Amino acid sequence: MKLNEVWDMGELIDLSADIYEGMPQLPSPAFPAVEVRELDLGERAKGREYVSYSQAIHMPAQVATYLETGAHLYPEMEKVNEVELERLFVSAVVLQIPRGAGEKVTGPDIESKLREAGETVNPGEALLIATGYNFLEDPGFKKTPHFRYDAVAWAVEHRCAILGSDIGAWQDPKEKPSFFPMFLKSGTLLLAPMVNV
């Protein structure tokens, strides 16, 4: 990407959730609560003609809408701060696959919706799955749908650059084996939970 490039963006839709104190997230003790506090900068203001203000934010990296790399399980892999910006500017296919609490998105679901839409996901593109779930309305992710192993394997086999979804908890804890080791080792980026998909 070059700074002097001009992009026709058309309509922009923000797929990320705001970060704020008390926001819904995976319950403690897995992740600490988001904490935002005002910093007392009174000492710094002495002798100045103005007072400045700032906040301290304490939060886990996996809060609101986040990007995850293989380093979540494999520390030797690329970290989020090492992801090149170009990897985030990719074409995407968005599929609407409505699912309710505990229901799963499957590999055959993805294939069926792609046929129905007349779409193809090419290597290096993003696949975004919209189930209709909204994690902001479900503290603790009790009503989240999930991905079945074969859906995540589909994204890996088709070499998606990014797999994103509005799903709050991707893995059904009862399903074994977990797809996360296979998925994160692949280098496909995880983007979730999104909003407005």
Side-chain angles (χ1 to χ4, degrees):
M1 174 188 291
K2 297 176 186 158
L3 292 177
N4 63 351
E5 285 187 55
V6 177
W7 292 48
D8 178 8
M9 301 301 279
E11 181 182 0
L12 295 177
I13 301 171
D14 186 358
L15 301 175
S16 62
D18 291 335
I19 297 172
Y20 54 92
E21 196 160 318
M23 67 178 303
Q25 65 184 72
L26 288 173
S28 294
F31 293 102
V34 174
E35 178 187 324
V36 182
R37 65 182 172 84
E38 294 295 320
L39 293 177
D40 181 2
L41 300 176
E43 284 297 314
R44 290 194 58 198
K46 286 185 179 175
R48 291 188 181 179
E49 56 188 271
Y50 60 88
V51 177
S52 58
Y53 299 90
S54 189
Q55 298 80 33
I57 301 173
H58 179 251
M59 64 180 211
Q62 294 173 304
V63 70
T65 305
Y66 59 89
L67 186 69
E68 186 170 280
T69 69
H72 184 60
L73 291 186
Y74 305 102
E76 70 280 5
M77 290 185 70
E78 174 184 49
K79 314 276 188 289
V80 171
N81 64 312
E82 298 168 341
V83 175
E84 296 289 333
L85 192 56
E86 290 82 9
R87 288 194 51 208
L88 305 177
F89 283 82
V90 296
S91 295
V93 173
V94 180
L95 296 179
Q96 303 284 335
I97 305 177
R99 290 292 177 270
E103 295 180 337
K104 294 183 181 159
V105 173
T106 68
D109 291 335
I110 294 170
E111 288 285 349
S112 173
K113 287 295 182 176
L114 284 170
R115 274 193 307 277
E116 189 179 302
E119 290 286 347
T120 302
V121 180
N122 297 305
E125 293 183 332
L127 174 59
L128 309 179
I129 307 284
T131 65
Y133 173 75
N134 183 345
F135 83 98
L136 295 171
E137 297 173 355
D138 183 27
F141 300 166
K142 294 178 177 78
K143 298 177 184 172
T144 181
H146 306 289
F147 280 112
R148 200 168 70 186
Y149 192 104
D150 62 354
V152 174
W154 189 97
V156 169
E157 289 164 13
H158 288 81
R159 299 193 338 252
C160 294
I162 302 168
L163 178 59
S165 180
D166 55 7
I167 294 175
W170 283 27
Q171 177 79 46
D172 180 343
K174 293 177 262 185
E175 185 177 315
K176 305 293 182 206
S178 171
F179 53 69
F180 279 115
M182 172 274 299
F183 174 59
L184 293 174
K185 192 70 168 176
S186 76
T188 299
L189 299 173
L190 181 156
L191 179 62
M194 298 186 303
V195 296
N196 303 321
V197 188

